[in-house]
C-alpha cells in the first residue's frame, strides 16, 4: 500500500492494522448462526435486486449480477475495502501535500510527525466508522482477489454482517425483515451505478477535482485528524470546539472552486441516498411486513446518535450532513415521482446535465421545469 503515490503522508498498512485492532467487537453470535446470517444476506441481496429493478425500472445494460459481486464482510473486511478506496481517491491531495512537505512550517512539522502517526489517526477514525456502517456500494478500490469487482472496473456491494445483527438486536425488530430492508437500500445503490454507466466516472471525477483544488497548509489537515482521533481517545473534553466552531474535515479545506464542486457533490449524494430511501420504502410494504416499525425505530436511531461524543464526531466527520442528504434527497425524489411518475423521474439519469443542482434538491419543481418543460417546449 505504501508504495503508491502520496503514500509517504499516510502509512496505509498501519491505518488498517490500527483500525482492525481498535474496532469494537461485534455482537456475540455462534458460528452456526453467523453462517446462517451470511447465507440469508446473500439471498436477500439477490431478491432485492429483482424488487429494486422492477420498482425503479432501471435495468443495467449488459451488466449481469455476478459482474458486481455481493460481499458479506465483517468489520475488518469493511476497513480493508475502504482503505483501498480512500487510497485511490486521496491520491491527488496526498501528492500535493507531499510536494509541499519540504517547504514551510506546516510541511516540516508534518514531515517530523511522519506517516506512521497519520496512519494511526486515520485508523482510529476508521475504527469508529466500521462499527456503524450497515452496507455500502464501494466503487473506487481497484479489484483484487480479496476485493473482486466488475470486469469494467466497477464496484462491489458490501454488507457488514455484524453491524446488521447489532442494529436489529438493538432495535428489537424482526431480523429477517430488517436484513431484507437493508438489502433493498444497498441494492438500490448497486442498481444506480450499474444502470447508469457514466455515474461512477462522473462521481470520481468530481471528488478528485475537489481534492485537486485543495490549497491548505498540511498542518491544518493533520490538526483536524488529530482532533477527531483525540475525541475517540478521550483526549479532548466533550463539547469543546475550536475557534472555527468545530467545522468538519470537509468544510475546513474549501476554496471558492471547491465550494462549487462540493455543491454539485452534495446534490448528487442527496439524490443517490434519497433515491435509495425512497425505493426501500416503496418496495418495503410489499415484501417486508414490519417495514413501518423498522422505519420508525431506525429513523429515531439515526437522529439521536449514541452520545455527545458520537454527535461531536459526526459533526467533525461531516456525518450530520449525510443525515440531511437522506431527508432532502428522499423529499426530492418523492416530489418528482408524484408529479411526473417514475419514468419522468428517471430522466435524472440521462447525463450529468440532468442531475439536480443543490438548489433544485430543495425545490424539485425547478428541476422539473428545467428538465421536463425545456424538453417539451
Amino acid at each position: 500500500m505504501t508504495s503508491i503515490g502520496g503514500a509517504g503522508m499516510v502509512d496505509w498498512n498501519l491505518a488498517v492494522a490500527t483500525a482492525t485492532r481498535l474496532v469494537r467487537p461485534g455482537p456475540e453470535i455462534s458460528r452456526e448462526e453467523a453462517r446462517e446470517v451470511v447465507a440469508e444476506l446473500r439471498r436477500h441481496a439477490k431478491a432485492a435486486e429483482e424488487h429494486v429493478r422492477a420498482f425503479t425500472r432501471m435495468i443495467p445494460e449488459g451488466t449481469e449480477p455476478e459482474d458486481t459481486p455481493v460481499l458479506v464482510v465483517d468489520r475488518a473486511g469493511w476497513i480493508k475495502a475502504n482503505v483501498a478506496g480512500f487510497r485511490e481517491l486521496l491520491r491527488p491531495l496526498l501528492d500535493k501535500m507531499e510536494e509541499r512537505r519540504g517547504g514551510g512550517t506546516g510541511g516540516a512539522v508534518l514531515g517530523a510527525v511522519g506517516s506512521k502517526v497519520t496512519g494511526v489517526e486515520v485508523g482510529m477514525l476508521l475504527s469508529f466508522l466500521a462499527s456503524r456502517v450497515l452496507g455500502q456500494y464501494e466503487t473506487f478500490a481497484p479489484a483484487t482477489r480479496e476485493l473482486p469487482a466488475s470486469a469494467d472496473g466497477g464496484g462491489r456491494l458490501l454488507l457488514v454482517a455484524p453491524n446488521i445483527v447489532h442494529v436489529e438486536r438493538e432495535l428489537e425488530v424482526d431480523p429477517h425483515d430488517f436484513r431484507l430492508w437493508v438489502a433493498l437500500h444497498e441494492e438500490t445503490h448497486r442498481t444506480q451505478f450499474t444502470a447508469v454507466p457514466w455515474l461512477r466516472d462522473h462521481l470520481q471525477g468530481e471528488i478528485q477535482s475537489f481534492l485537486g483544488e485543495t490549497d491548505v497548509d498540511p498542518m491544518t489537515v493533520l490538526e483536524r485528524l488529530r482532533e477527531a482521533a483525540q475525541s475517540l481517545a478521550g483526549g479532548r473534553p466533550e463539547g469543546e470546539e475550536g475557534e472555527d466552531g468545530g467545522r468538519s474535515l470537509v468544510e475546513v479545506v474549501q476554496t471558492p472552486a471547491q465550494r462549487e464542486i462540493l455543491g454539485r457533490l452534495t446534490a448528487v449524494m442527496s439524490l443517490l441516498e434519497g433515491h435509495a430511501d425512497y425505493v426501500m420504502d416503496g418496495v418495503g410494504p410489499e415484501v417486508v411486513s414490519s417495514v413501518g416499525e423498522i422505519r420508525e425505530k431506525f429513523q429515531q436511531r439515526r437522529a439521536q446518535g449514541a452520545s455527545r461524543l458520537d454527535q461531536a464526531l459526526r459533526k467533525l466527520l461531516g456525518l450530520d450532513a449525510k443525515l440531511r442528504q437522506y431527508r432532502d434527497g428522499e423529499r426530492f425524489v418523492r416530489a418528482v415521482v408524484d408529479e411526473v411518475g417514475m419514468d419522468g423521474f428517471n430522466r435524472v439519469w440521462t447525463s450529468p446535465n440532468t442531475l439536480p443542482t443543490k438548489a433544485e434538491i430543495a425545490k424539485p419543481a425547478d428541476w422539473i421545469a428545467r428538465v421536463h418543460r425545456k424538453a417539451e417546449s
Side-chain angles (χ1 to χ4, degrees), residues 298-352:
F298 193 76
Q299 287 286 59
Q300 291 174 355
R301 184 180 186 274
R302 267 184 183 173
Q304 291 172 353
S307 65
R308 288 179 62 196
L309 174 60
D310 185 81
Q311 292 169 2
L313 282 164
R314 284 185 355 191
K315 170 64 178 175
L316 185 60
L317 298 172
L319 301 183
D320 53 343
K322 187 175 179 66
L323 296 180
R324 290 195 296 273
Q325 289 172 2
Y326 283 109
R327 295 192 297 266
D328 296 346
E330 196 275 340
R331 282 195 292 264
F332 171 84
V333 175
R334 186 173 300 280
V336 172
V337 173
D338 286 348
E339 181 69 22
V340 297
M342 185 62 74
D343 291 335
F345 165 79
N346 280 340
R347 288 193 188 181
V348 77
W349 312 116
T350 303
S351 75

Side-chain angles (χ1 to χ4, degrees), residues 28-211:
E28 292 187 7
I29 186 172
S30 69
R31 184 170 299 180
E32 180 61 30
E33 186 180 359
R35 283 197 290 264
E36 291 175 357
V37 170
V38 170
E40 183 173 21
L41 286 173
R42 292 187 183 281
R43 291 196 302 271
H44 284 333
K46 178 62 178 176
E49 174 191 320
E50 299 174 4
H51 294 309
V52 168
R53 291 186 183 186
F55 183 81
T56 63
R57 303 175 194 171
M58 297 174 67
I59 307 299
E61 297 180 6
T63 303
E64 295 302 320
E66 56 268 24
D67 289 336
T68 53
V70 176
L71 306 179
V72 180
V73 298
D74 58 11
R75 291 169 178 175
W78 180 89
I79 289 167
K80 292 176 183 177
N82 277 268
V83 164
F86 291 160
R87 186 182 62 190
E88 290 298 304
L89 282 178
L90 292 176
R91 192 192 309 244
L93 175 61
L94 295 181
D95 284 345
K96 175 177 277 191
M97 291 176 67
E98 183 73 24
E99 291 174 3
R100 295 183 59 174
R101 174 187 262 184
T105 304
V109 172
L110 187 58
V113 171
S115 64
K116 291 190 179 300
V117 172
T118 310
V120 169
E121 291 171 339
V122 170
M124 292 178 74
L125 297 181
L126 286 170
S127 72
F128 171 79
L129 296 172
S131 63
R132 285 158 171 77
V133 176
L134 301 182
Q136 174 186 358
Y137 186 75
E138 204 298 312
T139 185
F140 301 120
T144 65
R145 186 175 64 178
E146 291 185 343
L147 199 64
S150 62
D152 61 359
R156 71 286 293 168
L157 179 61
L158 306 177
L159 295 172
V160 190
N163 295 350
I164 293 172
V165 172
H166 171 78
V167 174
E168 70 192 25
R169 290 178 178 179
E170 179 184 291
L171 298 182
E172 297 181 334
V173 294
D174 181 278
H176 309 293
D177 281 0
F178 184 74
R179 294 166 196 173
L180 177 55
W181 189 72
V182 171
L184 288 169
H185 182 100
E186 303 308 333
E187 178 59 39
T188 302
H189 287 316
R190 183 164 71 150
T191 298
Q192 290 164 347
F193 281 90
T194 55
V196 185
W198 53 264
L199 183 58
R200 175 182 179 271
D201 289 342
H202 172 72
L203 190 59
Q204 183 172 20
E206 290 280 62
I207 293 172
Q208 292 193 338
S209 293
F210 178 87
L211 295 173

